[in-house]
């Protein structure tokens, strides 16, 4: 299924105009054997207790809709074939004609003087099956009426009925009425506006009565295939879904797939529903109106197939809309699923300087460098790999250990390249950076952005560590922990750099000694790198 099934794709199912006009012979002439061998669908039309001879039956696709400008797609108003009932009121649709129609389901509409009949019939197109038979009884026309609540920006809407050429526009208040409809218990209406907002609903029509379908609320929406909200590399999530466990789906919006001017600031009118308009649990991970970027997390259960993103009806009631925080939503999935979908393990030094990151991301290996003059490091830059050693201090595995001595204005640093200047990482969703550290001295974590000219800008977090040599501590850096951008040392601040990160580094100032291990990002995944 498609990633972004925009509503206009749902709307128009145009039947081919096949120009078939079938007047079959009387069954008394054709004989039973002819009916059995040639016909796939036999319909008898009655008028009270008598056959309705000579009436016209129009066949269309059951999914046919009249065009919104009141012009049919073909001069035949979408009619694929027409048949005239014989003297006994019989209409015969042959197997050959069904094969030429190439329709899985048809509507048959019979219209007489102030009365009519309507039915929907499935066709299998097989030449081996016996004919199906049905009866359509002419009854006096009925009507439908209702009221449409427009989405923001709409001033009118069109109401159409599948399988017919019926279409009406609402008045400026949203009222509509469709008259002269053959009675039928299961008409499907499509109500849509110029803004591609659509609602489908079922309604019954009864002879000489006007059925009030009530209030129809239009929302702007886009449909998403649930499986396209889970990336192919998310093997743990896909397996969990197959076992019936909930997982998280991602809706990423930008200026190419969403008109941000059409929604309220910060997505306050956005909500997520099933295809049947039942509310789903969701969280707006971030929403940036100025950059026209947003990410919405959706809790997917095993039964969900289509997800509907709606907006345009004013600020949502967060309780009824089932809107939660991102952290609350992640509590609904298993630890294994969350670890895959909501974190990235960058490096743990078990494989030397090789990163833990796998495809689709392409992270480079660990680097060790210094900035300025008279910087002394152990290990040296040429033998940096020797800094990978046993973690020690009651911690299993390996860590990176380095000593640094640098004058004021100089420093040594380690880090990873995450992405290129042409395609930087967007970390608006990041919750935290975490790593294990022990040692003593002044330390800084920085996200950096290098542009295509080689110019580097940064966002810093500074700290001074003084731990016992046997004490490992977990360092946690949140978005709010980055210092305000002042321009000094190219520090432009987190708000500016968050959408264009190319690498990170951890720097040591003055005289320092550190052991580093297990660097992770939370709130992002491989798709964000």
């Amino acid at each position: 299924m498609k990633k972004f099934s925009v509503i206009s794709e749902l709307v128009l199912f145009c039947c081919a105009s096949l120009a078939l006009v079938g007047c079959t012979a009387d069954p008394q002439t054709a004989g039973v054997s002819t009916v059995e061998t040639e016909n796939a669908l036999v319909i008898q039309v009655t008028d009270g207790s008598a056959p309705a001879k000579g009436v016209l039956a129009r066949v269309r696709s059951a999914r046919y809709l009249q065009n919104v400008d009141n012009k049919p797609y073909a001069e035949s108003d979408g009619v694929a074939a027409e048949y005239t009932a014989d003297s006994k009121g019989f209409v015969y649709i042959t197997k050959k004609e069904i094969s030429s129609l190439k329709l899985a389901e048809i509507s048959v509409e019979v219209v007489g003087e102030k009365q009519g009949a309507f039915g929907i019939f499935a066709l299998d197109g097989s030449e081996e099956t016996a004919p199906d038979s049905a009866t359509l009884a002419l009854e006096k026309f009925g009507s439908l009426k209702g009221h449409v609540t427009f989405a923001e920006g709409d001033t009118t809407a069109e109401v159409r009925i599948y399988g017919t050429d019926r279409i009406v526009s609402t008045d400026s208040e949203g009222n509509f009425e469709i008259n002269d409809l053959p009675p039928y218990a299961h008409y499907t209406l499509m109500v849509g506006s110029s803004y591609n907002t659509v609602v489908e609903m079922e309604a019954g029509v009864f002879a000489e009565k006007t059925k009030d379908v009530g209030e129809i609320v239009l929302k702007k929406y886009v449909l998403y295939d649930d499986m396209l909200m889970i990336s192919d590399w998310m093997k743990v999530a896909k397996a969990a879904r197959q076992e019936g466990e909930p997982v998280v789906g991602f809706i990423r919006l930008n200026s190419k797939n969403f008109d941000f001017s059409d929604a309220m600031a910060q997505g306050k009118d956005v909500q997520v529903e099933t295809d049947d308009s039942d509310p789903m649990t969701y969280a707006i991970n971030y929403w940036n109106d100025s950059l026209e970027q947003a990410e919405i997390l959706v809790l997917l259960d095993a039964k969900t197939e289509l997800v509907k993103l709606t907006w345009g009806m004013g600020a949502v009631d967060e309780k009824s809309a089932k809107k939660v925080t991102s952290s609350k939503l992640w509590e609904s999935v298993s630890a294994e699923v969350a670890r895959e979908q909501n974190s990235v393990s960058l490096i743990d030094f078990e494989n030397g300087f090789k990163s833990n990151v796998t495809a689709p991301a392409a992270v480079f290996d660990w680097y060790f460098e210094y900035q300025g003059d008279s910087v002394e490091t152990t290990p040296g830059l040429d033998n940096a790999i020797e800094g990978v050693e046993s973690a020690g201090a009651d911690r299993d595995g390996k860590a990176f250990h380095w000593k640094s001595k640098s004058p004021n204005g100089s420093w040594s640093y380690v880090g990873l390249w995450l992405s290129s200047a042409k395609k930087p990482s967007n970390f608006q969703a990041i919750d935290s950076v975490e790593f294990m550290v022990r040692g003593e001295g002044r330390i800084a974590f920085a996200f950096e952005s290098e542009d295509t000219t080689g110019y580097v800008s940064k966002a810093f977090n500074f700290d001074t560590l003084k731990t016992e040599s046997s004490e490992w501590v977990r360092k946690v850096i949140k978005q709010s922990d980055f210092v305000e951008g002042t321009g000094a040392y190219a520090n432009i601040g987190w708000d500016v750099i968050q959408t264009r990160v190319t690498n990170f580094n951890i720097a040591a100032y003055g005289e320092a000694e550190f052991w580093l291990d297990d660097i992770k990002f939370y709130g992002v995944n491989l798709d964000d790198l």
Side-chain angles (χ1 to χ4, degrees), residues 152 258-265 267-270 287 289 311-312:
E152 185 177 347
F258 188 81
D259 184 356
F260 280 74
S261 66
D262 208 23
M264 295 179 68
K268 291 182 178 179
D269 58 338
V270 169
W287 189 285
D289 290 292
W311 67 98

Side-chain angles (χ1 to χ4, degrees), residues 447-449 457-459 492-501:
F447 275 123
E448 296 188 340
S449 177
S457 51
K458 307 176 181 183
I492 60 175
W494 173 250
D495 289 344
V496 180
I497 205 174
Q498 60 181 322
T499 60
R500 49 179 179 171
V501 174

Side-chain angles (χ1 to χ4, degrees), residues 294-307:
E295 182 177 77
I296 299 169
L297 309 180
V298 184
L299 189 65
L300 301 174
D301 60 30
K303 297 179 180 179
T304 306
E305 293 184 357
L306 287 175
V307 173

Side-chain angles (χ1 to χ4, degrees), residues 223-241:
L223 283 176
Y224 296 87
D225 181 338
D226 64 314
M227 291 310 295
L228 293 179
M229 298 168 66
I230 307 171
S231 297
D232 287 340
W233 61 266
M234 296 179 179
K235 306 300 184 186
V236 174
K238 287 180 176 288
R241 190 103 191 280

Side-chain angles (χ1 to χ4, degrees), residues 347 349 366-369 400 402 411-416 433-437 442-448 460-461 465 475 477 503-509 514-521:
I347 191 167
F349 305 105
W366 186 253
Y367 59 78
F368 181 37
E369 300 178 13
F400 182 72
W402 99 96
W411 58 90
S412 63
Y413 57 96
V414 294
L416 278 174
V433 177
E434 299 188 15
F435 53 89
M436 299 299 295
V437 61
R442 193 175 185 212
I443 193 170
F445 179 91
F447 275 123
E448 296 188 340
F460 283 112
N461 168 262
L465 293 179
K475 178 67 177 172
I477 303 170
N503 59 296
F504 77 86
N505 63 53
I506 300 172
Y509 297 87
F514 296 109
W515 287 259
L516 286 174
D517 194 15
D518 202 16
I519 302 172
K520 295 179 179 179
F521 294 166

